[in-house]
Structure formats: structure tokens, C-alpha cells
Amino acid sequence: VQLQASGGGLVQAGGSLRLSCTISGRASRKYSMGWFRQAPGKEREFLTAIHASGSIFYADSVKGRFTISRDESTLFLQMNNLKPEDTAVYYCATTTPSPNATPVHVPGWDPFGSWGQGTQVTVSS
């Protein structure tokens, strides 16, 4: 499976951005799909995901501000009321196994094995 993230950019605090992640190849609803981010000097953070069962998870840091959704070929992340601390590189990922990436393990989820290249989000104060 191939993932391509886009939609990042520079926005003022309080603004909004919508990230997209096009998914091709072995795309299937039997895999969970989600968004992570990594700020400079910090560990990668698990933000939100749609489980293969359809249930949705949000980390406390984004609950109420971010909304995940998907259609047949694209995963979306609507980000509202952005804060400077949301500045990071945002990655989309699926639990599709891949020989090309080290899987990331999140408690309660199958390993996220396929990753997009990341898109930069910068929020100015």
C-alpha cells in the first residue's frame, strides 16, 4: 500500500487545516487507519484513528478539535482551533503490513506498518 499525505501549511492560532492522505495499493477497510505527528525533539504521538471495526479514537490532546474521516481512497484529518503546540510533521498510517517500514506499536491496535511521507503543519501565535 502507498500513502501520500498533503494539506499541511502555515496557519495562525485559532485557524483550521484539512489534511488528506491518499491510499493506493492494498487499501482495504479491514485495516485501521490513523494520524500521528512528531514535533522537533519529541516522540511520535498517536492522535486519532479509525479502527477496522469502524470505531474512532482521539487522543486527549486533539479531542474536540480534530476530526478523522475517510472515503474509499482517502483519509482526512480536519483540524480546527489550531494551537502553536500543534506544530509538527503529521503522518498518516495504516495497519497494513509492509516490508518497507518499521511498524509502530500502539496499545490496543494492530501495528501501524505502512506510512506516508509526512506533511508539515506550522501554527503561529
Side-chain angles (χ1 to χ4, degrees), residues 44-124:
R44 190 166 296 192
E45 180 185 8
F46 179 45
L47 299 179
T48 178
I50 300 175
H51 193 270
S53 66
S55 62
I56 293 177
F57 166 85
Y58 292 101
D60 288 343
S61 58
V62 303
K63 194 176 296 182
R65 301 187 299 122
F66 290 12
T67 303
I68 190 172
S69 62
R70 63 168 294 178
D71 61 20
E72 286 303 315
S73 60
T74 307
L75 184 68
F76 301 99
L77 183 65
Q78 177 67 42
M79 305 187 295
N80 298 328
N81 190 22
L82 283 162
K83 305 174 181 180
E85 53 263 43
D86 293 319
T87 295
V89 177
Y90 284 69
Y91 299 89
C92 54
T94 81
T95 55
T96 313
S98 170
N100 302 317
T102 301
V104 172
H105 297 268
V106 178
W109 297 78
D110 290 336
F112 286 86
S114 296
W115 291 80
Q117 85 290 359
T119 184
Q120 176 71 46
V121 171
T122 303
V123 184
S124 63

Side-chain angles (χ1 to χ4, degrees), residues 3-6 19-23 35 73-77 92-93 116:
L3 294 84
Q4 180 77 32
S6 62
L19 305 185
S20 298
C21 176
T22 56
I23 303 169
W35 290 94
S73 60
T74 307
L75 184 68
F76 301 99
L77 183 65
C92 54

